[in-house]
Amino acid sequence: MAASDLINLSGLIDDAKCFALVRQHRWPEGACCPVCGSGAVIRDGHDDTQPHRQRYRCKVCAGRFDDLTGTVLAGHHQPLRVWVLCLYFMGLNLSNRQIALELGLDSSDTQAMTEQLRRGLAAKTPAVELTGEVEIDEVYVVAGHKGQPAAVAKRAGSDAVASWQARQAAARWRRTSRPSSA
Ligand SMILES: [Zn+2]
């Protein structure tokens, strides 16, 4: 029996904390408008179907947005906690196939998710300044291999090595590029 039959990990994850995590990474200084960049925003209730997803209104441009607006996490059918777990498993150097098994997803969905996460949480919002560090990628640099990345990569198979290299490339890209051309 697979571990996933015994423990539904996704069901143990706190939605409120997942949204708090996104807010903290996205707006460490407090929410700001994805349209005009103003920090003069007020809270404007919560999403109708996701009670922890905060909505906001911009006092400058009157734009409306929420915690996920303009991120790769918006507009997808997977709940936020599945994305957060996916990110965590990527940090453990799991292959797409292993992640799909753990999360009960099909492999094409999983591949799409990991590709998007590698580009960064805010990759869909080129209008927003992404200069400096968008450091959700810490999660997948650290955990898991305990100083033995080669051993983990060997166990996980060559696709893990390839995806690790892709993550490195993506991380470099985020550190060195500006979104103006996107
Ligand atoms: Zn605005």
Side-chain angles (χ1 to χ4, degrees):
M1 183 181 282
S4 54
D5 294 333
L6 297 171
I7 301 171
N8 179 353
L9 200 52
S10 166
L12 301 173
I13 302 290
D14 186 319
D15 265 337
K17 285 182 183 167
C18 288
F19 280 100
L21 176 96
V22 170
R23 284 193 286 271
Q24 189 190 339
H25 277 279
R26 191 179 183 191
W27 298 308
E29 314 293 331
C32 58
C33 175
V35 178
C36 72
S38 168
V41 300
I42 52 174
R43 290 183 188 169
D44 188 25
H46 291 86
D47 186 82
D48 295 333
T49 57
Q50 297 171 281
H52 301 288
R53 183 170 173 174
Q54 178 73 53
R55 291 193 300 213
Y56 309 86
R57 191 152 42 86
C58 176
K59 293 206 277 191
V60 175
C61 74
R64 290 168 186 275
F65 59 100
D66 66 33
D67 288 333
L68 305 187
T69 301
T71 72
V72 298
L73 311 168
H76 285 276
H77 59 282
Q78 299 299 345
L80 181 59
R81 60 181 181 275
V82 173
W83 284 90
V84 169
L85 280 172
C86 183
L87 198 58
Y88 179 74
F89 289 138
M90 287 165 74
L92 298 178
N93 278 334
L94 263 60
S95 67
N96 283 348
R97 194 178 60 84
Q98 289 171 306
I99 293 173
L101 280 173
E102 290 294 334
L103 295 177
L105 302 175
D106 71 49
S107 53
S108 64
D109 275 355
T110 306
Q111 183 169 353
M113 289 172 75
T114 56
E115 280 174 8
Q116 287 178 311
L117 286 170
R118 258 172 230 133
R119 284 185 226 125
L121 270 190
K124 265 178 69 186
T125 55
V128 179
E129 278 293 297
L130 291 183
T131 54
E133 292 173 289
V134 182
E135 272 304 336
I136 196 80
D137 53 334
E138 275 171 33
V139 181
Y140 50 72
V141 176
V142 208
H145 57 59
K146 294 191 171 79
Q148 311 252 5
V152 172
K154 196 173 166 191
R155 198 165 65 232
S158 57
D159 61 341
V161 176
S163 70
W164 181 81
Q165 287 164 342
R167 287 202 297 279
Q168 294 300 302
R172 272 198 300 278
W173 185 88
R174 280 199 296 283
R175 280 194 292 272
T176 56
S177 66
R178 283 166 173 271
S180 53
S181 62

